[in-house]
Amino acid sequence: MILIFTSIEILAVTIALYVYTRHALDYEKITISGKQLLFERSWGGKIQQHEFNTVWTKLVHNESTGKDLVLKTSTKEVPIGFFVGANERERFGKELERYLGI
């Protein structure tokens, strides 16, 4: 009986560690070079890259929640700031807006 519960517990810990390792190295990176903004996100081992022109890009708050930040142009919208704490989000948004619309 003990062996069964021990096996279940080891399986649960293994699954939890697997999920943790898939997202342990997640990140978002913004690189601004002149009028080019490159946004890169790694989520679960998959890397997404989006390129924007800083002149045509605006930073807006998501209409549905009002908290999430979105990089928006006429053709695409990309939510950003998943890893920024709620108390730091406003400061992050103001700092990023200084580079947009130049």
Side-chain angles (χ1 to χ4, degrees):
M1 192 70 146
I2 293 175
L3 186 60
I4 294 171
F5 285 110
T6 303
S7 300
I8 292 171
E9 185 175 348
I10 289 173
L11 179 65
V13 169
T14 303
I15 291 170
L17 287 174
Y18 174 74
V19 170
Y20 171 77
T21 58
R22 293 276 296 161
H23 294 285
L25 299 176
D26 290 351
Y27 67 88
E28 289 181 335
K29 180 171 75 170
I30 296 175
T31 306
I32 299 174
S33 176
K35 295 185 186 226
Q36 178 190 22
L37 183 145
L38 180 64
F39 175 73
E40 181 178 315
R41 175 185 297 136
S42 173
W43 185 264
K46 297 178 184 175
I47 296 178
Q48 302 172 353
Q49 290 185 340
H50 302 276
E51 190 173 327
F52 297 93
N53 184 328
T54 59
V55 176
W56 302 325
T57 304
K58 293 186 178 184
L59 183 67
V60 295
H61 294 279
N62 192 348
E63 291 84 17
S64 61
T65 62
K67 297 179 185 177
D68 299 332
L69 299 173
V70 177
L71 284 175
K72 185 175 184 177
T73 63
S74 61
T75 58
K76 64 180 169 181
E77 294 183 10
V78 178
I80 65 168
F82 290 123
F83 304 112
V84 178
N87 54 349
E88 295 291 322
R89 196 167 299 214
E90 184 177 338
R91 185 171 68 95
F92 169 72
K94 285 181 181 179
E95 186 175 337
L96 182 59
E97 282 178 337
R98 291 188 308 163
Y99 296 99
L100 301 177
I102 297 173

